[in-house]
Amino acid sequence: MPTGRFAPSPTGDLHLGNLRTALAAWLFARSSGSRFLVRMEDLDRVQSSPAHEASQLADLAALGLDWDGEVVRQSDRFDRYEAAIAQLDAAGLTYPCWCTRREIQEAASAPHVGPVPEGAYPGTCRDLDAAGRAERAATGRPPALRLRAQVASATVADDLLGTITAAVDDVVLRRNDGVPAYNLAVVVDDAAQGVEQVVRGDDLASSAPRQRHLADLLGLPAVAYAHLPLVLAPDGRRLAKRDGAVTLADQAAVGRTADAVRELLAASLGLDPGDGRPIELARRFDRTTVPAGPWVPSTALLGG
Ligand code: GLU
């Protein structure tokens, strides 16, 4: 059965941008009769907490968004990620990498490396020979494990953005503290959970081509994407806590109910709220009316 999902990281309260993404993902799914899953991306054990998870789920429920089945936690699924790593490893598609963040930055900006897309790994450890690896290993720093990407860039279709072409670099598969990396986990989980449609914030749009490549190498089905433009503060920066009433609790404190917030979010997605019930919104949702630009909530909406 067609399946969509919302996959927050339980590292804080959901803000209006996350809530809008959740509503959009729910509308994409429910308007087409799809299942809708919630997955907690709690690989970051320092920032994630059960309290944040509980408050995020409570906020989704308060908005009237329902989901199918149990909420899945990435922290419970390390064996699946390790199985995928073993598969890539057996195909010769991984290599250990000892680079620190700083070394990566320096290498990426070194003149002889050639242009490296912003944030992409410049490949320093990719072609180390046995002696080079032994030398790096002798530092005692545990290595991360990277994908040996087979293409330099890839293109995916996006329901909201058109097409996305971006660099595919040698993404980290397992961090040097042993924790599986986000790009791997998201690809493994979406496939394992039968997710066909990924609706999420467009801060992850440039990651979609590398995730598609990873799925291809693992022999997993391709998902469809819809990346939603970000929510910006009235001054044009990315919306943040300092901008006012950005969470559902903040909104309640300025006198706005969850139902009213849902109506505002629906309007921001190009939907006339009608009688405002979620199911009614799903009936009328039309992805072609979702605005292409960022949403900038007014100062009044933010309680100012
Ligand atoms: N966990 C990611 C986040 O909260 C979203 C990942 C995804 O939707 O693919 O930003």
Side-chain angles (χ1 to χ4, degrees), residues 27-225:
L27 287 168
F28 266 85
R30 295 306 196 208
S31 65
S32 58
S34 297
R35 287 198 312 151
F36 183 66
L37 310 179
V38 174
R39 180 173 72 233
M40 286 291 158
E41 301 212 320
D42 61 348
L43 290 174
D44 181 341
R45 302 307 292 153
V46 179
Q47 308 255 0
S48 302
S49 80
H52 291 318
E53 179 183 315
S55 82
Q56 293 188 348
L57 294 175
D59 283 357
L60 296 180
L63 281 184
L65 309 186
D66 62 339
W67 55 91
D68 296 305
E70 297 280 311
V71 171
V72 158
R73 283 178 204 88
Q74 290 190 323
S75 57
D76 291 334
R77 297 164 72 84
F78 276 29
D79 51 341
R80 290 175 186 264
Y81 312 138
E82 284 303 327
I85 288 174
Q87 186 185 335
L88 295 168
D89 214 26
L93 291 171
T94 71
Y95 64 88
C97 168
W98 286 268
C99 292
T100 60
R101 209 172 283 246
R102 174 133 178 229
E103 285 171 330
I104 293 172
Q105 269 166 9
E106 283 170 7
S109 55
H112 60 273
V113 177
V116 176
E118 197 178 329
Y121 180 63
T124 319
C125 288
R126 182 176 173 121
D127 297 318
L128 287 178
D129 58 14
R133 281 191 185 172
E135 192 183 309
R136 299 285 265 170
T139 61
R141 179 182 157 81
L145 192 71
R146 286 188 182 271
L147 175 72
R148 198 175 281 282
Q150 301 298 296
V151 296
S153 75
T155 299
V156 299
D158 186 287
D159 272 352
L160 296 174
L161 302 181
T163 56
I164 305 169
T165 298
V168 173
D169 65 342
D170 290 351
V171 287
V172 171
L173 301 169
R174 190 199 294 120
R175 301 173 354 187
N176 86 334
D177 60 2
V179 176
Y182 157 70
N183 281 300
L184 176 78
V186 76
V187 167
V188 169
D189 284 340
D190 282 337
Q193 296 187 279
V195 170
E196 291 170 10
Q197 171 110 64
V198 168
V199 180
R200 61 188 178 188
D202 75 357
D203 50 330
L204 287 166
S206 66
S207 292
R210 52 166 74 107
Q211 291 173 3
R212 169 69 54 80
H213 182 55
L214 195 44
D216 286 349
L217 293 178
L218 285 164
L220 300 174
V223 295
Y225 289 106

